[in-house]
Amino acid sequence: MNQKKYPFSRRDFIKVSAATTAAVSTMSLGACNTEKVPEPMKRPFGNLGFNVTTLGLGGQASIQWTPENVDPVPIILKAFELGVNYFDTSNLYAKSQLHFHSAFEKLNLIPGKENYNKTLRESIWLTSKTGMRWGKPGWPERENVNNWSNGENVKCAVDDVKRSLTQIFGDGEGFYPEGAYLDMVLCHTLHNTDEVDVLYEGLETPLDPAGNFGALVALRDLRDGTNLTGMNPKNEKLIKHIGFSGHANPPAMMDMIQRDEYGILDGMLIAINANDKTKMNMQHNVIPIAEAKGMGIIGMKVFADAAMYHKEPRWSQTPVDVFTKIGTPELPSKPLIEYSLTTPGVHTLIIGIGHIDEDPMKCQLVQNYYAAQIAPDGMSPNERKRIEEQAKSVKPKSNYFQVIEKENLSAPRDLKMEADKLLWQSALADEEPISHYEILVDGELVGKVEHKPQLLKSAPFSFVLEKSGAEVKVVAVDKVGNRAENLLV
């Protein structure tokens, strides 16, 4: 397949892109829908050595909940024609992986088949996910720990990886060809720190192949071709990278990243849209840590799974929930996409597609593609605030998936004294990023510590206290001067 069909100049592109700001534009591109698009904008995908298109194709919407009048395979093929190079699916997305298989057959992306296009396969990034927290069958039930898959015979995360490979590249019954691999597997939709505890078993605790261990150490075997867990007896290398996804709980997601002292996590899929700050936000808490660690960061829920448009704020369940239009006059789609892509640290967005059309002005995929052609600094702070206010006024309660309610700036967490050193874990930001921490002894300012993303839980913020006093406080201060203090007990 020819991937170089970009006769438009960048100047032409800007003219066309500007026309997509409204929900529906009167500007016509003619009957041709992919031959006249500009070359897709790309960004470095963290430190992973891959340049990712700013638009990725999500594996939900019509690829998962397929309406009767929609064929999901042309959606995938059209994304390839546009030059999109990031593709997302999951073991929890109904027949999504099977639809990718059908598209990949047409694209010659099945290893071992005649005309297998290895070059094309290496030019894309394919991610799937597992909702299994354990790395081996026979695990114990734990309170607040979710384990689930659409696979009838899936008993652990390793089973889910092989299910993805057989559904996408194999016969769907267990066989997958030699040379099949996933670029990344994500531990799907992290809910809480109880799940983080399970995922890290066998890493933070002694690994007992005869006992129970979490998904991460088993996925590491599939990444490295090792068999430390006993779950990879053929020493296969089935995945290239490991990550996690989350919608709900910023502190748990921060904990997930900050406990990784093992070089496990390379990527993060995170909910980020213009209503992010209506709950405990992702953009000032989780994303800066992942960015500082060099992780590839994928945004999702740009339209709150259509809750910004036609459905009530809840998880989608059926084809009726799939949105097939291009924004609304009250809340155009283009600025929402631009908002997420100009959130510092975000490299690409996955967006589920409900409808494609030969008329590019009616095609969700083409319109989203144009909207995604924006530089990381392509939106001013004032414009970002304007879009936040617009989204909040139109759909104030869209972000049902962010379960922790909005709170003020928190105090520094877990403040303690060791020898002559004060130690604390990062505060949690509210609407503004954290600036610094102030250390006060009996009300006197004795020092400041600049706030930076805390990379490891084992490496907290610290300050050598040279002055004694009856009362010692550490105060978090954000960029606009809000303050929250913690008193050393």
Side-chain angles (χ1 to χ4, degrees):
M1 176 172 289
N2 179 15
Q3 293 293 305
K4 296 294 183 181
K5 302 184 294 185
Y6 310 112
F8 265 19
S9 68
R10 181 60 58 180
R11 179 180 298 176
D12 293 330
F13 160 68
I14 291 171
K15 293 178 182 177
V16 175
S17 179
T20 68
T21 301
V24 178
S25 169
T26 59
M27 182 174 180
S28 173
L29 295 179
C32 183
N33 62 349
T34 60
E35 294 289 341
K36 294 185 178 180
V37 296
E39 183 173 1
M41 188 175 287
K42 296 179 181 178
R43 300 179 183 179
F45 197 32
N47 294 339
L48 305 186
F50 184 81
N51 289 327
V52 66
T53 52
T54 50
L55 177 67
L57 180 64
Q60 292 194 288
S62 285
I63 298 177
Q64 175 180 358
W65 302 289
T66 309
E68 289 186 4
N69 63 339
V70 173
D71 182 352
V73 174
I75 296 174
I76 300 169
L77 297 177
K78 188 164 189 170
F80 270 83
E81 291 176 4
L82 286 166
V84 170
N85 71 2
Y86 188 93
F87 297 88
D88 164 273
T89 185
S90 172
N91 280 286
L92 293 172
Y93 292 172
K95 295 182 178 180
S96 178
Q97 295 184 145
L98 296 174
H99 295 317
F100 273 98
H101 174 82
S102 297
F104 282 12
E105 281 191 315
K106 295 178 182 297
L107 292 162
N108 297 319
L109 290 176
I110 307 298
K113 291 286 186 74
E114 186 179 0
N115 298 322
Y116 171 54
N117 192 336
K118 186 172 183 286
T119 300
L120 180 60
R121 173 65 187 93
E122 292 174 348
S123 75
I124 68 167
W125 189 289
L126 176 64
T127 293
S128 192
K129 314 183 191 78
T130 175
M132 303 299 291
R133 308 309 185 198
W134 294 94
K136 179 183 175 182
W139 38 267
E141 293 284 351
R142 294 273 183 89
E143 187 176 2
N144 299 323
V145 176
N146 296 276
N147 288 275
W148 76 116
S149 172
N150 282 347
E152 292 182 5
N153 299 315
V154 170
K155 298 179 181 178
C156 64
V158 172
D159 292 343
D160 254 350
V161 172
K162 294 181 177 180
R163 181 174 186 263
S164 293
L165 291 171
T166 188
Q167 289 201 328
I168 298 172
F169 297 105
D171 62 2
E173 301 294 331
F175 166 77
Y176 50 88
E178 184 177 353
Y181 66 92
L182 297 167
D183 293 278
M184 188 155 63
V185 169
L186 304 178
C187 297
H188 198 159
T189 189
L190 185 74
H191 295 99
N192 52 57
T193 53
D194 293 317
E195 294 184 342
V196 179
D197 291 341
V198 169
L199 290 168
Y200 275 100
E201 286 201 21
L203 289 166
E204 295 178 337
T205 61
L207 175 60
D208 178 10
N212 299 114
F213 43 82
L216 289 178
V217 68
L219 293 175
R220 184 176 66 178
D221 270 352
L222 300 185
R223 182 193 70 184
D224 296 347
T226 53
N227 190 30
L228 301 176
T229 62
M231 293 300 294
N232 190 25
K234 296 181 181 179
N235 294 102
E236 295 177 282
K237 290 187 177 182
L238 301 179
I239 62 181
K240 292 193 172 184
H241 300 275
I242 301 165
F244 75 102
S245 72
H247 318 73
N249 189 324
M253 296 177 72
M254 293 167 66
D255 193 58
M256 180 74 172
I257 302 170
Q258 290 169 336
R259 286 165 68 168
D260 181 18
E261 306 207 20
Y262 317 95
I264 297 284
L265 300 176
D266 284 336
M268 178 181 69
L269 172 63
I270 188 167
I272 178 67
N273 66 37
N275 272 336
D276 178 47
K277 294 179 184 176
T278 64
K279 298 291 185 75
M280 181 180 284
N281 70 74
M282 304 292 187
Q283 60 190 280
H284 296 321
N285 289 303
V286 187
I287 293 176
I289 301 171
E291 181 187 24
K293 273 208 158 186
M295 296 170 68
I297 302 172
I298 312 105
M300 63 175 165
K301 300 295 184 249
V302 180
F303 311 130
D305 189 20
M308 287 200 180
Y309 293 128
H310 77 307
K311 77 175 179 66
E312 62 273 23
R314 59 160 174 77
W315 297 105
S316 291
Q317 300 167 352
T318 70
V320 175
D321 293 326
V322 175
F323 189 61
T324 59
K325 298 180 181 179
I326 303 167
T328 63
E330 297 79 18
L331 202 55
S333 59
K334 182 175 184 285
L336 296 180
I337 292 170
E338 292 176 329
Y339 179 92
S340 294
L341 277 171
T342 56
T343 300
V346 174
H347 304 126
T348 186
L349 297 181
I350 54 168
I351 302 178
I353 300 300
H355 170 73
I356 59 174
D357 197 284
E358 286 301 307
D359 181 347
M361 303 318 299
K362 297 178 182 178
C363 180
Q364 282 184 330
L365 183 53
V366 171
Q367 292 300 300
N368 291 347
Y369 177 91
Y370 277 117
Q373 307 309 301
I374 187 168
D377 60 353
M379 181 173 282
S380 70
N382 287 340
E383 181 65 5
R384 286 178 59 82
K385 288 184 181 298
R386 186 195 69 76
I387 294 168
E388 289 171 356
E389 291 302 316
Q390 183 179 7
K392 188 165 61 174
S393 66
V394 176
K395 290 287 184 176
K397 299 186 182 297
S398 69
N399 284 18
Y400 59 92
F401 40 80
Q402 287 174 262
V403 299
I404 299 185
E405 296 299 326
K406 177 180 169 63
E407 298 179 4
N408 293 329
L409 169 69
S410 86
R413 297 177 296 162
D414 303 328
L415 178 63
K416 60 184 179 180
M417 191 83 175
E418 290 186 0
D420 62 345
K421 188 177 292 186
L422 283 169
L423 303 172
W424 65 93
Q425 302 289 326
S426 174
L428 299 171
D430 187 22
E431 293 196 17
E432 299 293 335
I434 300 168
S435 169
H436 64 276
Y437 301 94
E438 297 180 355
I439 294 84
L440 285 76
V441 177
D442 294 335
E444 179 187 351
L445 178 66
V446 298
K448 292 183 179 181
V449 174
E450 180 186 1
H451 176 82
K452 294 181 179 180
Q454 183 184 342
L455 302 187
L456 294 171
K457 200 169 184 179
S458 63
F461 292 91
S462 64
F463 181 80
V464 176
L465 195 62
E466 298 178 346
K467 179 177 180 179
S468 61
E471 184 180 80
V472 177
K473 295 179 180 179
V474 179
V475 185
V477 184
D478 70 16
K479 294 291 186 181
V480 296
N482 294 311
R483 300 169 65 84
E485 64 184 39
N486 195 347
L487 175 66
L488 179 66
V489 177

